[in-house]
């Protein structure tokens, strides 16, 4: 699976949009971009995933560049409860492989009042 | 609740003791994963089950680590002769199938003295 690069930490003001970048310059054509987050002392939580089109759900939006070498997770109105480590992961989404997730160091997002 | 549960939540073991960690996945989920998370690091894959079959154990760090899922539901991760370097949070995750989003349990924090 392709390696991802994320900034180690970011701050965001409560109520503002949080934009978390991820570089995945070696991504293959059949690899999806996944985002998970881990709030302190909890297990990781799935947020969103996409292949090449932008995606939106009730939690966040995912913007993937046209060349697919980078993406941005957007939390439109960050709250204090969004303070967590955010992981960007790329992997093949098929039933023929294990589907294991390879986590990097992630970005620690601190939402401040 | 219908989430992934793990027990115990905390375990303290003396060096050399054997421990057993339990995971109850979401009912009906075919795929089950174990991850190890050292302090300050992202989770690292240990092993994967599809129903009762252990299809990938490439992440198990030594032959002291053993996992089973005999009836394709509950899984147990066993660590024999624990060492201090085994101290970590052990996370279990399940998914409907290998390529689907994974739902994580809260983890078991193991401390080896």
């Amino acid at each position: 699976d392709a390696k991802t690069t994320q900034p180690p930490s970011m701050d965001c003001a409560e109520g503002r949009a949080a934009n978390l970048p991820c570089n995945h310059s070696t991504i293959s054509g059949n690899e999806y971009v996944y985002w998970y987050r881990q709030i302190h002392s909890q297990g990781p939580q799935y947020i969103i995933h996409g292949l090449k089109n932008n995606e939106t759900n009730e939690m966040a939006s995912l913007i993937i560049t046209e060349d697919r070498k980078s993406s941005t997770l957007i939390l439109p109105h960050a709250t204090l409860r969004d303070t967590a480590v955010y992981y960007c992961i790329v992997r093949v989404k098929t039933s023929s492989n294990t589907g294991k997730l390879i986590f990097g160091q992630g970005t620690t997002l601190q939402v401040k009042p | 609740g219908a989430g992934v549960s793990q027990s115990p939540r905390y375990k303290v073991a003396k060096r050399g003791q054997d421990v057993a960690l339990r995971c109850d996945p979401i009912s009906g989920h075919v795929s089950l994963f174990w991850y190890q998370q050292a302090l300050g690091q992202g989770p690292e894959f240990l092993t994967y089950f599809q129903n009762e079959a252990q299809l990938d154990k490439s992440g198990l760090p030594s032959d002291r680590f053993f996992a089973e899922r005999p009836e394709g539901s509950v899984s147990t991760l066993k660590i024999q002769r624990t060492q201090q370097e085994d101290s970590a949070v052990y996370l279990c995750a399940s998914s409907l199938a290998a390529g689907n989003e994974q739902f994580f349990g809260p983890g078991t924090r193991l401390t080896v003295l």
Side-chain angles (χ1 to χ4, degrees):
Chain A
D1 291 334
K3 184 176 179 180
T4 63
T5 304
Q6 299 177 252
S9 63
M10 292 181 63
D11 289 344
C12 177
E14 187 178 20
R16 304 296 294 268
N19 298 286
L20 292 95
C22 179
N23 284 328
H24 31 79
S25 58
T26 60
I27 193 170
S28 300
N30 62 347
E31 287 182 311
Y32 286 69
V33 180
Y34 283 77
W35 284 84
Y36 281 74
R37 73 179 182 183
Q38 188 171 25
I39 295 169
H40 184 62
S41 297
Q42 297 183 21
Q45 175 191 23
Y46 166 82
I47 301 173
I48 198 168
H49 75 279
L51 183 62
K52 53 184 178 181
N53 297 321
N54 297 337
E55 301 288 343
T56 295
N57 63 20
E58 65 278 3
M59 289 183 69
S61 294
L62 174 61
I63 308 297
I64 302 174
T65 58
E66 192 169 345
D67 63 8
R68 303 210 322 122
K69 293 185 177 181
S70 65
S71 61
T72 301
L73 179 74
I74 301 172
L75 307 178
H77 305 287
T79 71
L80 298 178
R81 287 177 294 181
D82 292 322
T83 292
V85 179
Y86 287 77
Y87 296 100
C88 170
I89 300 164
V90 294
R91 70 172 174 99
V92 177
K93 182 179 181 289
T94 73
S95 59
S96 62
N97 70 345
T98 68
K100 64 187 177 186
L101 299 172
I102 300 176
F103 292 82
Q105 296 295 313
T107 295
T108 299
L109 175 68
Q110 181 74 47
V111 180
K112 299 186 173 181
Chain B
V4 178
S5 61
Q6 293 186 245
S7 62
R9 290 295 313 278
Y10 303 91
K11 177 69 178 177
V12 177
K14 292 183 179 178
R15 189 161 54 95
Q17 281 185 331
D18 298 348
V19 299
L21 313 179
R22 176 187 169 107
C23 172
D24 284 79
I26 293 173
S27 178
H29 277 196
V30 168
S31 298
L32 186 145
F33 304 80
W34 284 98
Y35 294 85
Q36 179 191 58
Q37 186 170 25
L39 189 64
Q41 304 295 315
E44 292 191 359
F45 170 78
L46 292 177
T47 188
Y48 162 69
F49 289 86
Q50 182 174 301
N51 295 308
E52 69 280 1
Q54 189 175 19
L55 299 186
D56 187 347
K57 51 183 180 179
S58 61
L60 296 177
S62 77
D63 58 7
R64 296 185 296 104
F65 287 71
F66 172 77
E68 60 183 6
R69 194 186 184 197
E71 298 179 358
S73 178
V74 171
S75 177
T76 303
L77 177 66
K78 298 179 179 178
I79 309 173
Q80 297 177 323
R81 305 180 304 281
T82 53
Q83 303 295 314
Q84 285 189 321
E85 61 264 28
D86 299 335
S87 295
V89 174
Y90 290 86
L91 294 161
C92 175
S94 70
S95 64
L96 272 174
N100 290 67
E101 64 185 86
Q102 295 181 22
F103 295 85
F104 283 79
T108 294
R109 180 176 296 278
L110 173 66
T111 302
V112 181
L113 303 177

